[in-house]
Amino acid sequence: MSVVLEPMAGRHVDAVCAIDSRCFSRPWSAAQWRTELAADDRAHLVARDNDQVVAHAGTLRALDELHITTVAVDPDHEGKGHGTRLCIELLRLGIAAGATAATLEVRAQAHRTQRLYGRLGFAPAGIRSRYYDRPTDDAVIMWLHDLDSPEIVERLDRVAAKRVVVPILHVIKAAPRHALSLKPRPLCP
């Protein structure tokens, strides 16, 4: 398996929309994705298996907080660690850009996904009632504080070490004041 993480670009939008249509009740349109990719405070990655996009994830950065806005894995490729890899890399990019905390919402009925976030250090902090529809579900608000602490960095490294990973390719878009350039490196030490 040759799965590679790379920054999402316009050429990935159609594949991302196809994944979203299988994963979400209200997927974003191609136009919404292009707007998202143009925003300086966003970072989006895709996981490619050979030439096929099999998963994607993204964040919104506000000051020192990182909000994981989306994680989607093609149902035909679930259970292979793609969501975990993407989340770890986005958290690492957030740390490099100065984030000290991260948050997200997850369906209350998505127990497997909540366990994934828990392994990364997120903890439940509240509920947004009826946040999701089709089907109606509450959102569990989860937070990861002290994101930049040695303990969390070590936790991310431990979780990443349990997965076979390949390097991220090149520069991840960041706000102009935080030009973030990454050299290719494995996700685990």
Side-chain angles (χ1 to χ4, degrees):
M1 178 168 57
S2 57
V3 176
V4 174
L5 303 184
E6 66 182 17
M8 186 188 298
R11 69 183 179 279
H12 301 122
V13 168
D14 289 342
V16 165
C17 286
I19 291 170
D20 285 358
S21 71
R22 296 186 70 195
C23 296
F24 300 128
S25 60
R26 293 181 182 257
W28 290 353
S29 68
Q32 286 171 301
W33 271 114
R34 287 186 182 86
T35 299
E36 188 77 7
L37 291 175
D40 288 336
D41 57 352
R42 315 282 198 218
H44 291 277
L45 301 176
V46 295
R48 277 191 312 102
D49 187 352
N50 295 312
D51 287 331
Q52 181 185 4
V53 175
V54 296
H56 69 88
T59 59
L60 162 66
R61 200 172 33 11
L63 302 173
D64 62 347
E65 292 179 357
L66 194 67
H67 186 155
I68 295 180
T69 56
T70 188
V71 179
V73 178
D74 185 310
D76 294 337
H77 296 271
E78 287 180 347
K80 298 178 182 177
H82 303 315
T84 302
R85 288 184 202 101
L86 287 164
C87 287
I88 289 170
E89 192 61 23
L90 285 170
L91 292 170
R92 287 176 170 167
L93 291 169
I95 292 166
T100 61
T103 188
L104 54 83
E105 294 91 13
V106 59
R107 281 185 177 270
Q109 297 304 312
H111 303 292
R112 184 172 144 197
T113 307
Q114 290 176 45
R115 285 191 301 273
L116 156 69
Y117 297 139
R119 283 194 310 273
L120 300 178
F122 284 88
I127 299 287
R128 294 190 201 282
S129 295
R130 304 175 60 83
Y131 184 77
Y132 296 104
D133 61 3
R134 300 184 199 172
T136 301
D137 198 1
D138 295 340
V140 177
I141 303 163
M142 300 182 82
W143 275 92
L144 171 55
H145 296 284
D146 303 318
L147 176 60
D148 56 343
S149 71
E151 294 80 16
I152 296 298
V153 171
E154 182 180 315
R155 176 191 285 248
L156 296 176
D157 290 344
R158 277 195 319 269
V159 173
K162 293 179 181 178
R163 299 287 181 180
V164 176
V165 295
V166 295
I168 190 163
L169 291 181
H170 43 74
V171 178
I172 302 300
K173 189 166 121 181
R177 67 182 185 283
H178 293 113
L180 179 60
S181 174
L182 296 180
K183 295 183 170 88
R185 65 173 176 79
L187 294 179
C188 59

